[in-house]
Amino acid sequence: MRQFIVVGLGRFGTSVATTLANKEHDVLAIDIDEEKVQEISNQVTHAVQADATSEETLQKLGVDEFDIAIVAIGSNIHGNILATLVLKELGVSHVVVKAQDNLHGKLLSKVGADKVVYPERDMGARVANNLVSANVLDY
Ligand code: ATP
């Protein structure tokens, strides 16, 4: 069992957090919005309302104890980048971050993101590939 932090509980972050929790992993879910925290609270190990750009707050939450963090903050690019930086500064060894586009992704790599993901782009490609695969068109 591994310990994960999921920051940002939009559709993507919630899906990541609940999938990990369903696989019996320890998940600390963080969002600045209390309502999002309430919604997920009975599905993950811990759910906390906090601003993930605050180094002091994340330190108090003991994020350095966790193996992997997923930053799933979306439209707040400033928050997304700062949270990534803070998690790396505090010593989380593997930080995975959701990016909006290539330039954003490059910047995330420069501030220390270990892996950058593009969920909308990748899922679009996957759906398209599935559509042109023989099985789908042979109905
Ligand atoms: P999705 O497509 O996954 O639904 P999104 O890309 O539209 O999400 P947002 O809804 O903008 O992304 O952000 C995801 C979550 O991140 C929101 O619930 C928001 O409250 C949270 N969030 C934004 N800034 C911070 C922050 N500084 N600290 C913690 N959580 C934050």
Side-chain angles (χ1 to χ4, degrees):
M1 196 176 82
R2 297 181 105 159
Q3 292 192 299
F4 295 86
I5 303 168
V6 179
V7 177
L9 304 171
R11 291 160 298 179
F12 176 68
T14 297
S15 173
V16 171
T18 55
T19 302
L20 290 168
N22 287 341
K23 291 181 184 295
E24 311 294 328
H25 293 292
D26 199 352
V27 176
L28 169 63
I30 300 173
D31 202 289
I32 201 163
D33 180 348
E34 179 65 44
E35 217 170 290
K36 302 277 184 171
V37 175
Q38 288 297 330
E39 281 168 20
I40 207 167
S41 61
N42 60 0
Q43 299 175 71
V44 296
T45 325
H46 303 285
V48 178
Q49 188 276 328
D51 180 353
T53 65
S54 163
E55 187 162 354
E56 197 188 338
T57 305
L58 291 195
Q59 193 161 30
K60 280 187 188 148
L61 288 171
V63 301
D64 53 313
E65 304 282 316
F66 287 74
D67 311 314
I68 304 177
I70 298 97
V71 179
I73 298 172
S75 47
N76 173 9
I77 293 200
H78 176 254
N80 166 295
I81 294 165
L82 276 187
T84 303
L85 187 64
V86 168
L87 287 161
K88 286 310 294 180
E89 290 277 313
L90 291 174
V92 178
S93 57
H94 199 77
V95 179
V96 179
V97 193
K98 164 175 142 160
Q100 304 275 19
D101 53 44
N102 281 340
L103 204 57
H104 179 202
K106 266 191 193 174
L107 204 153
L108 287 169
S109 301
K110 292 201 185 235
V111 302
D114 298 282
K115 186 173 167 64
V116 177
V117 295
Y118 304 86
E120 291 87 357
R121 186 185 78 185
D122 293 352
M123 186 49 81
R126 199 163 143 187
V127 169
N129 284 326
N130 285 342
L131 285 173
V132 295
S133 76
N135 289 347
V136 176
L137 295 182
D138 281 352
Y139 63 85

